[in-house]
Amino acid sequence: MDLLHCHTSLLVLLFSTQITYGPFDPILHDKVQFPSLYQVAPKFSSLPWGMVRLMVHFGWTWVGLEVSDDMKGERFLLDLPREMVRNSVCAAFTKKIPSGKFNFYTAQEIYSSVMATSAAVMAAYGDAESLNLLRFVIESFGLSKMVLITTFHWDFTLSTTYETNSYDFHGTLTLANHAKEGPGFRDFLRTVKPAKYPEAIILKKFWESAFDCSFSLPEMNGRKCSENASLEIMPVHIFSLTMSALSYSVYNAVYAVAHGLQNLLLSNSNLKSLENGDCLVPHPWQLHEFLSKVQFDNPVGEPVFLDENYRSTAKFEILNFVISPNGTCELVKVREMDPQAPPDQDVFISEAIIMWPRGSSQAPRSRCSRSCGPRFRKHAQQGEAVCCYFCVRCPEGEISNQTDAEQCVKCHEDQYSNMERDGCLHKAVTFLSHKEPLGLIMVCMSLSFSLLTALVFEIFINLSFTLLLSLMLCFLCALTFIGQPTLASCLLRQMAFGIMFTVAVSSILAKTFTVVLAFRATSLGSRVRRWVGPRASTSTVLSCSLVQVTICMIWLGTAPPFLEVDVHSEPRLIIVECNEGSMTAFYCLLGYLGVLALVSFTVAFLARRLPDSFSEAKFITFGMLVFCIVRASFLPAYQSTKGKATVAVEISILASGAGLLSCIFIPKGYVILLRPDRNTREWLKRK
């Protein structure tokens, strides 16, 4: 009676405190509904991360999803797509598999949805019962073109038709809980035989089923079980010598219960004795209290906690289902994944030992679109998933040096993209140098006109001192435009040009007025004669030049020119140039000079009919006409050029000075140097 009482008490104990060794289930984690239930398996909450991380590792971005049509499948479909989007992986299709009985029409529908896609990888989630339909489709129709990613929740190796259709699962990758084999576990299984344990009735039944034999007298078509048979020769779908994740959980569960009972029994204050004292049995709630505190290292050296709050996220073992040429099957471990490891150390896979479907040694490609190599970026197709795109070559100034780049990267301002669009090169610094042909020509022209002006200046030193001096300085000002610009040259060149040309044009205006007034003075008497003289010419030059100087001073005081680096106009060059600062002031300078030129041209044109012997109005008219034409063509040319060409256009205004010098002084020089006989008072009077 006492023994019966002990057994009854133990049954009460077992029914009160429960330990599950199956896969971790978040629903059972609710302590309100299941206060005394413990799960030995580690948390598998990072399973979606593990499956997606495996896809990313092999570059699979176009993947089909098959999940069981139940609460677990719904929860999985909430977490997995979110993780896929985060890693730019797209679902080619999503199919829910109804659990329970199934028919051929449903199987055909699943097969059609799988075959209609270009995806070469399919992820399946669910337990063995809910995924029976998918297993039936694989074994009946064959899906050997696809890599199957599964979890240990679905043990497809237990298929009843395994021996004839197992090759359809060849190359499957399975994520399983991390498990370590206990010391002596494999050796023990090799020596297990019914003869060694004759009282183990369950072992005999398993032996007869596994080896298809009988320990009793053989019937007509039967055979007697061999005493020398070993579990080592069993196919993996019937029995495996390796410790699976499920076996490892049972292994830890047994040790956990043993540690809990040991801690309880060692505490005398928590024992309840029967009347005769022959059996010591604790209350059910007492074991629950001790189990919640169980913490130990199992025989393989790994920590075990029954309190789920202290357990870390599970590591994954990646298993590859392989069928060798001789027909033997095996789940080969190809390393593991650790969600808690750094990003570059979370996956360790020995790819060389993985066997893929159809006997391939290379991982299959599963993408909606081909990879975009360097020089290209991805461009999404409208109305399609983000994984379906076409490749677009990077534009000028941008590069891509990686595969499947989302965007091209712009080169730095002082760089440009090479022809291959996969690297940036440094831009060369450029400016109008006196060493290059264009700059050398401009220097020669400037110096030549300056020397020519100096020569004419020597001849007409007493006649046109101010005009010739200003023209010579205008030609020399062109040198400030050649060579690498500096802040000083930027401030000087435009204003010096403007002021010198203003002095030259105002001198011509003064000469024209002097000629006109000289002829008027002879006819109108002494009232006009007082305006003919050096004082009037000097006043005209100074007053006209003072206006231009005022414009330049305002320009310097408000927005002066400055040194600028242009990295955008030329893709491969850095242009060092002068920015004019205030374009309004710049155009005011040019505008005022144009007004003076038009006034001088108008006065000279009106005075062109005066006697040639004493009047140079015709020469001034032609000179000012050339000056105005060059100035009028300058503005559109200036606006339509960039870089060194702009500087060359600015220097080209030397032609206006050359026109003045040629039209006004060359005829006079011809007479003075080559025809001195005409340079006499008698010859002029006679003419």
Side-chain angles (χ1 to χ4, degrees):
M1 191 67 182
D2 294 338
L3 183 59
L4 178 61
H5 192 161
C6 288
H7 288 170
T8 304
S9 300
L10 286 174
L11 287 175
V12 172
L13 172 64
L14 292 176
F15 278 111
S16 299
T17 303
Q18 302 175 29
I19 299 179
T20 66
Y21 55 83
F24 184 85
D25 191 338
I27 298 177
L28 300 179
H29 184 56
D30 187 357
K31 289 302 180 183
V32 177
Q33 299 184 52
F34 309 100
S36 59
L37 187 142
Y38 298 93
Q39 300 185 78
V40 180
K43 292 181 180 179
F44 222 46
S45 57
S46 57
L47 178 59
W49 170 89
M51 297 192 81
V52 174
R53 189 66 183 85
L54 192 62
M55 299 170 191
V56 172
H57 178 82
F58 290 107
W60 298 329
T61 58
W62 192 238
V63 180
L65 302 180
E66 298 274 358
V67 299
S68 56
D69 191 7
D70 53 20
M71 290 298 296
K72 290 183 179 179
E74 291 293 337
R75 182 184 294 272
F76 191 72
L77 278 182
L78 288 176
D79 298 333
L80 184 65
R82 189 183 302 118
E83 192 69 29
M84 291 172 65
V85 170
R86 190 179 297 117
N87 291 272
S88 300
V89 179
C90 302
F93 63 88
T94 301
K95 197 72 177 176
K96 293 183 180 180
I97 303 176
S99 57
K101 295 182 179 181
F102 54 88
N103 52 51
F104 186 81
Y105 174 78
T106 308
Q108 179 68 40
E109 184 182 355
I110 294 176
Y111 175 74
S112 299
S113 65
V114 173
M115 297 305 295
T117 181
S118 59
V121 177
M122 180 172 65
Y125 176 79
D127 54 29
E129 182 180 356
S130 61
L131 292 180
N132 276 337
L133 180 57
L134 178 58
R135 184 170 59 191
F136 172 77
V137 172
I138 294 174
E139 294 173 346
S140 300
F141 298 100
L143 295 175
S144 58
K145 75 161 190 172
M146 304 193 76
V147 176
L148 192 62
I149 302 177
T150 69
T151 68
F152 74 99
H153 301 78
W154 179 32
D155 192 356
F156 61 87
T157 63
L158 297 179
S159 172
T160 55
T161 57
Y162 179 83
E163 294 183 1
T164 57
N165 298 290
S166 58
Y167 197 81
D168 292 322
F169 290 93
H170 177 72
T172 297
L173 297 177
T174 300
L175 293 181
N177 274 342
H178 171 70
K180 272 192 176 182
E181 190 172 294
F185 178 74
R186 194 180 292 260
D187 294 334
F188 168 76
L189 291 179
R190 288 195 181 101
T191 60
V192 167
K193 294 180 182 179
K196 188 175 180 179
Y197 302 98
E199 69 281 358
I201 301 176
I202 297 179
L203 179 59
K204 284 186 176 182
K205 293 295 182 182
F206 168 75
W207 207 268
E208 290 178 340
S209 174
F211 288 95
D212 192 19
C213 62
S214 175
F215 283 100
S216 60
L217 292 176
E219 299 178 359
M220 184 177 298
N221 296 324
R223 61 188 181 89
K224 189 174 180 64
C225 294
S226 172
E227 294 290 338
N228 296 322
S230 173
L231 293 175
E232 193 172 10
I233 65 174
M234 286 286 96
V236 68
H237 71 281
I238 297 178
F239 191 84
S240 175
L241 294 181
T242 61
M243 179 172 283
S244 65
L246 197 62
S247 300
Y248 189 63
S249 295
V250 175
Y251 185 75
N252 288 330
V254 172
Y255 271 95
V257 172
H259 275 269
L261 287 172
Q262 181 183 23
N263 293 337
L264 186 148
L265 294 174
L266 290 176
S267 177
N268 294 328
S269 61
N270 290 314
L271 296 181
K272 177 184 177 182
S273 175
L274 295 179
E275 293 180 357
N276 58 4
D278 294 332
C279 182
L280 297 176
V281 179
H283 288 293
W285 57 266
Q286 293 173 331
L287 180 59
H288 167 61
E289 179 185 354
F290 280 87
L291 283 177
S292 63
K293 300 177 182 179
V294 164
Q295 177 181 346
F296 65 95
D297 290 342
N298 62 16
V300 296
E302 292 196 336
V304 177
F305 301 91
L306 284 188
D307 190 343
E308 296 158 8
N309 296 320
Y310 291 98
R311 274 183 278 170
S312 60
T313 305
K315 294 181 181 179
F316 303 123
E317 288 186 349
I318 306 171
L319 307 177
N320 182 213
F321 183 70
V322 177
I323 301 177
S324 60
N326 60 7
T328 59
C329 307
E330 188 178 2
L331 282 169
V332 180
K333 180 180 176 180
V334 290
R335 302 301 290 273
E336 59 187 25
M337 304 171 70
D338 187 359
Q340 295 181 318
D344 56 339
Q345 302 176 14
D346 54 355
V347 179
F348 299 93
I349 300 178
S350 303
E351 297 186 27
I353 65 175
I354 298 179
M355 296 300 296
W356 302 102
R358 298 181 180 178
S360 175
S361 60
Q362 297 292 330
R365 178 182 176 275
S366 187
R367 306 173 68 94
C368 182
S369 303
R370 67 181 181 89
S371 297
C372 293
R375 303 179 294 167
F376 296 90
R377 67 173 178 87
K378 297 191 296 184
H379 185 78
Q381 300 182 25
Q382 188 173 4
E384 299 289 342
V386 294
C387 298
C388 301
Y389 51 82
F390 54 89
C391 301
V392 177
R393 183 179 172 86
C394 292
E396 179 73 29
E398 298 182 7
I399 65 165
S400 170
N401 54 10
Q402 62 182 7
T403 303
D404 289 337
E406 296 290 341
Q407 296 292 337
C408 296
V409 179
K410 284 188 176 182
C411 293
H412 195 265
E413 288 187 344
D414 60 350
Q415 297 177 328
Y416 68 96
S417 58
N418 57 10
M419 293 296 295
E420 292 76 19
R421 299 291 194 274
D422 58 0
C424 293
L425 303 176
H426 285 282
K427 294 180 178 180
V429 179
T430 182
F431 49 87
L432 185 60
S433 172
H434 61 275
K435 295 181 180 180
E436 57 183 290
L438 181 60
L440 185 60
I441 291 173
M442 294 296 179
V443 170
C444 293
M445 288 177 59
S446 176
L447 293 177
S448 299
F449 284 128
S450 298
L451 292 175
L452 180 60
T453 306
L455 179 62
V456 177
F457 179 80
E458 184 179 356
I459 298 173
F460 296 96
I461 189 168
N462 295 322
L463 301 176
S464 304
F465 177 84
T466 304
L467 174 59
L468 289 171
L469 180 62
S470 61
L471 282 177
M472 185 172 63
L473 292 177
C474 285
F475 294 133
L476 292 177
C477 282
L479 298 178
T480 61
F481 287 84
I482 302 172
Q484 184 168 354
T486 62
L487 180 59
S489 64
C490 289
L491 292 171
L492 177 65
R493 62 187 192 179
Q494 294 291 1
M495 298 182 187
F497 241 137
I499 293 173
M500 290 300 103
F501 268 112
T502 300
V503 173
V505 174
S506 59
S507 298
I508 292 174
L509 180 61
K511 285 173 64 69
T512 308
F513 273 126
T514 301
V515 172
V516 173
L517 292 176
F519 280 97
R520 297 284 294 176
T522 58
S523 59
L524 296 178
S526 60
R527 286 181 302 173
V528 180
R529 208 171 279 178
R530 60 181 178 177
W531 295 100
V532 180
R535 181 180 299 178
S537 300
T538 303
S539 300
T540 302
V541 173
L542 289 177
S543 59
C544 292
S545 301
L546 184 60
V547 175
Q548 191 71 286
V549 171
T550 303
I551 294 175
C552 292
M553 295 302 294
I554 295 174
W555 188 2
L556 284 174
T558 55
F562 58 89
L563 189 65
E564 184 180 53
V565 177
D566 183 5
V567 297
H568 302 292
S569 298
E570 295 289 340
R572 302 185 182 185
L573 298 174
I574 298 176
I575 302 174
V576 182
E577 59 183 1
C578 293
N579 189 303
E580 309 306 343
S582 173
M583 295 305 297
T584 302
F586 176 63
Y587 287 123
C588 285
L589 182 147
L590 296 179
Y592 176 70
L593 188 58
V595 170
L596 279 182
L598 286 175
V599 171
S600 298
F601 172 75
T602 303
V603 174
F605 180 78
L606 295 175
R608 72 189 185 281
R609 296 188 182 277
L610 295 175
D612 292 344
S613 300
F614 298 95
S615 174
E616 53 184 349
K618 287 185 179 180
F619 301 139
I620 293 175
T621 301
F622 282 115
M624 293 310 301
L625 180 62
V626 173
F627 186 90
C628 291
I629 291 174
V630 173
R631 286 290 171 172
S633 61
F634 167 75
L635 285 178
Y638 179 80
Q639 292 291 341
S640 60
T641 55
K642 295 180 179 180
K644 293 189 293 186
T646 304
V647 179
V649 168
E650 290 178 319
I651 297 177
S652 67
I653 60 178
L654 289 173
S656 59
L660 293 177
L661 180 66
S662 302
C663 293
I664 297 176
F665 293 102
I666 286 181
K668 294 182 178 183
Y670 169 77
V671 172
I672 294 173
L673 297 177
L674 302 179
R675 299 297 299 272
D677 57 305
R678 295 184 180 182
N679 193 23
T680 62
R681 184 183 298 273
E682 293 76 11
W683 189 89
L684 292 175
K685 288 181 177 181
R686 186 169 61 251
K687 184 179 179 182

